Amino acid sequence: MYVIPIRVPLFVEGSRTLIQTDWRRAVELLRDSLGGRYGDLLLVSPWLPTDDPGAAEQRLEPLDAVAGVRAVTVYDARVRARQFWARELRLLRRTFDDALPTAQVVHTGLDELFRPMMGLGFAMASARGVPTVFVQDTDEVVQVPQLAGAGAVDQARARAYVLAYERLCRESVRRADLSLLKSGTLERRYAPFAKNMMVFEDTSYLSSEIAPSDLVEGRLATLASDRPLRFVYCGRLIARKGVDVSVRILARARARGARVELEVIGSGPEEAAIAKLAQELGVADAVHLTGTATYGPALIARLATFDGLLFTPTAEDTPRMIFDGYAASLPLVASPVPYVEERARAERATELLPADLDQAADVLLGLDRDRGRLAELARRAGEAALYHAADAWYARRAARTHEAVDRRRREVRR
């Protein structure tokens, strides 16, 4: 088996186990890229009931419809840390004890330290000589202090947490047979300690799903008209994504005369607050909240009708949405968190927004007045899309995984 301990929850309804549509797609891509070499994929995940509010934000599908993928749900994802350590940890160890004898690879990372399900799976696999793939896609050392409160006590706790977290990550990449680290700060932070490292980006679209050039050029040709620029956000509506910041910037840009609109695809706990803010700022007619959308080719085609991806997170974030935008030839217009700055350097398809809202509004106004700049960025985004396509990336990752597993097996035989 190829065992994947991961904190992404599965949803349970009676005897049925359901998986998020976008997570199913990623699992299927991984399964196909490995070609059955390690047997079935086994997801070890926490669970949520389908009546949990989070379920309403997701598109769910039965897991038993996914061939070659099985799951073990280990604890209620809502469990508090004290309950995890007192009750769930023993059961989790037993789950890994049952899975590891038949595991050919354990693929996981380091999750939160208060409920370290993934970290435990990695440690137990590494200790027993099972080949390991260690994956990190968000720099918690940057993100945790940004999300902590501004008070001295909150910041002191955050510093203590990230000190312990960083130490564990360093030790993990030293031990892992293959470490997959998202480019940017994670790469720079842990590369000196990694035994075998591969840099990655998180993508799910296929090469065949990239918006065709004639469609993109048709869109770019309309930039010369008087129509408004249409920006889009696509993802969960939670506070740290900063969609409210986008609405504030857009309102100020429109007050300066910019012809700009925003469509928000997704749902979440901030949805009502965002709609209310748009109403209060007098831009309800320019901010369109359209709810969730199923991930797939139709979504990429829909994104290709917009002019740019507007992303204003309040803390470090590494969303797949950026690359879905590339697949639709959408330039990234975004706040300068470290990962966005990395993308700006790598693909040169990004317009960085200053932290000051008025200055950010001036950037949107400038793009409206110089639409050729937006077209230039859009073409660069399209050029980046093919390299980052999931089928290309998963093929590269599978090859490196095979090499790492074969190397470990040779070492064991000596």
Side-chain angles (χ1 to χ4, degrees):
M1 289 189 300
Y2 188 97
V3 181
I4 309 175
I6 189 163
R7 64 179 173 182
V8 176
L10 297 169
F11 291 84
V12 173
E13 183 180 61
S15 61
R16 294 202 311 157
T17 301
L18 299 105
I19 186 171
Q20 300 171 28
T21 298
D22 57 350
W23 179 217
R24 168 181 172 162
R25 183 181 175 92
V27 169
E28 289 176 328
L29 285 166
L30 177 58
R31 176 202 63 195
D32 294 346
S33 71
L34 296 173
R37 181 165 175 169
Y38 309 109
D40 287 351
L41 272 58
L42 177 68
L43 307 181
V44 181
S45 303
W47 60 271
L48 285 171
T50 54
D51 61 0
D52 183 84
E57 303 168 18
Q58 311 291 339
R59 298 296 177 98
L60 305 178
E61 302 178 43
L63 184 64
D64 60 12
V66 187
V69 180
R70 296 185 285 130
V72 176
T73 50
V74 284
Y75 60 87
D76 188 327
R78 300 164 296 184
V79 71
R80 294 183 177 275
R82 183 177 298 177
Q83 295 171 304
F84 177 90
W85 289 95
R87 185 180 65 206
E88 308 297 347
L89 186 62
R90 183 176 64 258
L91 298 175
L92 189 56
R93 285 185 181 277
R94 190 180 306 159
T95 298
F96 289 134
D97 280 335
D98 291 341
L100 289 177
T102 56
Q104 296 193 57
V105 181
V106 170
H107 167 136
T108 189
L110 185 62
D111 49 351
E112 60 172 301
L113 301 186
F114 298 122
R115 296 178 297 180
M117 184 268 287
M118 293 166 60
L120 176 64
F122 175 81
M124 290 180 66
S126 181
R128 299 184 190 191
V130 179
T132 52
V133 177
F134 182 80
V135 185
Q136 287 296 106
D137 66 356
T138 299
D139 193 346
E140 299 283 338
V141 175
V142 173
Q143 188 185 78
V144 168
Q146 291 175 335
L147 295 177
V153 173
D154 289 333
Q155 286 297 312
R157 287 174 177 166
R159 286 194 296 273
Y161 182 93
V162 300
L163 183 65
Y165 194 96
E166 185 173 23
R167 185 181 298 118
L168 279 174
C169 263
R170 288 180 179 182
E171 181 59 25
S172 297
V173 299
R174 283 192 188 102
R175 296 165 64 186
D177 295 290
L178 174 63
S179 293
L180 304 176
L181 303 176
K182 212 161 194 181
S183 69
T185 58
L186 281 170
E187 176 188 1
R188 292 189 289 274
R189 188 181 307 282
Y190 298 115
F193 309 98
K195 179 169 69 175
N196 179 24
M197 184 188 78
M198 181 179 184
V199 176
F200 80 98
E201 312 302 342
D202 185 15
T203 66
S204 291
Y205 66 90
L206 302 177
S207 303
S208 60
E209 296 167 351
I210 295 172
S213 59
D214 57 344
L215 177 65
V216 173
E217 289 300 325
R219 181 190 83 208
L220 298 182
T222 69
L223 288 173
S225 69
D226 290 333
R227 70 170 179 83
L229 294 180
R230 301 178 64 238
F231 291 98
V232 65
Y233 167 87
C234 185
R236 290 195 67 210
L237 303 184
I238 54 178
R240 67 181 175 85
K241 298 294 185 178
V243 178
D244 61 313
V245 178
S246 293
V247 173
R248 295 181 191 279
I249 293 170
L250 180 129
R252 296 185 187 209
R254 285 175 63 88
R256 289 162 164 75
R259 299 163 294 172
V260 288
E261 295 180 354
L262 173 65
E263 182 161 318
V264 178
I265 303 173
S267 62
E270 295 297 306
E271 187 170 1
I274 293 166
K276 182 180 178 183
L277 177 64
Q279 187 72 40
E280 291 172 348
L281 296 178
V283 292
D285 60 334
V287 177
H288 312 288
L289 285 82
T290 57
T292 58
T294 300
Y295 188 84
L299 179 59
I300 301 297
R302 180 177 173 184
L303 292 177
T305 66
F306 293 92
D307 299 304
L309 188 66
L310 187 58
F311 181 47
T312 53
T314 60
E316 170 68 330
D317 204 355
T318 60
R320 184 196 62 203
M321 170 186 70
I322 291 174
F323 297 94
D324 295 334
Y326 287 171
S329 287
L330 293 188
L332 176 62
V333 181
S335 300
V337 296
Y339 190 67
V340 167
E341 292 180 324
E342 176 67 21
R343 301 273 53 84
R345 290 190 292 269
E347 288 90 33
R348 298 185 303 117
T350 299
E351 189 75 23
L352 295 173
L353 294 173
D356 180 83
L357 296 184
D358 287 320
Q359 293 177 13
D362 286 339
V363 171
L364 292 191
L365 178 61
L367 289 174
D368 180 33
R369 292 177 174 173
D370 181 10
R371 297 189 174 197
R373 164 69 174 163
L374 203 61
E376 177 186 352
L377 295 173
R379 292 189 178 99
R380 290 179 187 166
E383 290 168 2
L386 192 59
Y387 177 80
H388 289 298
D391 45 337
W393 149 244
Y394 275 83
R396 294 193 295 270
R397 180 167 80 169
R400 288 290 296 272
T401 299
H402 299 332
E403 291 172 5
V405 172
D406 289 345
R407 186 182 308 112
R408 165 56 72 95
R409 289 172 175 171
R410 287 195 299 271
E411 292 171 356
V412 170
R413 288 196 296 267
R414 289 174 185 166

